[in-house]
Amino acid sequence: MTGFASTEDLGEKKVSFDQIGTGLYAYTADGDPNSGIIVGDDSVMVVDAQATPAMADEIIARVAKVTDKPIKYLLLTHYHAVRVLGASAYKGVEILASDATRALIAERGKQDMDSEIGRFPRLFRAVESIPGLTWPTMTFPDQISVWLGRREVRIMHIGRGHTAGDVIAIVPDAGVIFSGDLVENKSACYCGDAHFTDWPATLDHMAEMQANALIPGRGAALTTPDMVKDAIEFTADFIATLYGSAQDSVAKGRSLKDAFDFARLTLDPKFKSLPIYEHCLPFNVSRAYDEARGIEWPVIWTAERDREMWAALQG
């Protein structure tokens, strides 16, 4: 069997650190997972930790160059290892997540950690620096406001999508949204733990907020309302095209392997050139096929399940 598409992906990515509003920054890297920085009057919130403490140290160093205020909060937009396992680098911070994300960490955090590290080694630089799972120190059911002095950060669970626990962070004084992986910019979506039936409505809800700028989960920051609108529509199109293809395959009784081949015919012409497309496709089709067959709750990915599925779909 050939290795996961991502095991060949070893080239370093160009990191950008862009100011997208007063005290608002996007840390992005050519389609690798993004982080966001929100500077308030008296403290700082980081949105998404990065995959390892060594990688998180780069965020901390960037923050120190733009402010001497302390990082007091770390927000986990969702539970995936590549987003959260760097958290131990942020000393003495409050780690925020939705109740649903905490439940997912309890249910599948360990399996997800082993699975993701095995799939995509480049994204876990200095993997030995990870002390273990990241647990939030504060959770909430639907919405919470965190005040960085006078600056409000409104954190909201607006619906399931990329996972069951996704939240977005809104900075009302600037009209800026940090979306996590609910929205991607010129990158494929990872849908291995997705809720396809819910995701479009969640995106509609976000579109209604009419953000001035948005920091997506992957890809460059979206710095105008039109760019935000386009990226939300692009993400919705990716989700709808993928799930529509799986629904068609299930209705016609295709096997998972045939559903995968059919999905390629539908998706390749539009999306094949995107970062992480090849890596995500088998996981994406597997989950879409499951949901289309009525498996409402995503099956837990383990390192063993990853390898079996990959081998089956690569034929």
Side-chain angles (χ1 to χ4, degrees), residues 181-189 191 196 199-204 207 228-247 263 266-272 274 277 281 284 288:
D181 283 322
L182 283 169
V183 178
E184 310 295 15
N185 177 22
K186 299 188 175 75
S187 170
C189 303
C191 309
F196 287 96
W199 201 337
T202 303
L203 290 172
D204 287 345
V228 172
K229 182 171 173 287
D230 289 348
I232 291 174
E233 287 174 0
F234 168 86
T235 304
D237 184 37
F238 186 95
I239 300 311
T241 307
L242 170 60
Y243 191 50
S245 131
Q247 287 176 305
T266 321
L267 285 124
D268 280 8
K270 277 165 115 169
F271 304 116
K272 191 172 170 46
L274 297 174
Y277 173 80
L281 194 63
N284 289 356

Side-chain angles (χ1 to χ4, degrees), residues 2 84 88:
T2 55
V84 306
S88 62

Side-chain angles (χ1 to χ4, degrees), residues 56-74:
D57 283 338
E58 293 179 21
I59 308 279
I60 294 165
R62 299 267 181 171
V63 172
K65 285 182 177 156
V66 296
T67 181
D68 55 5
K69 291 163 188 163
I71 298 171
K72 218 159 143 185
Y73 301 96
L74 174 63

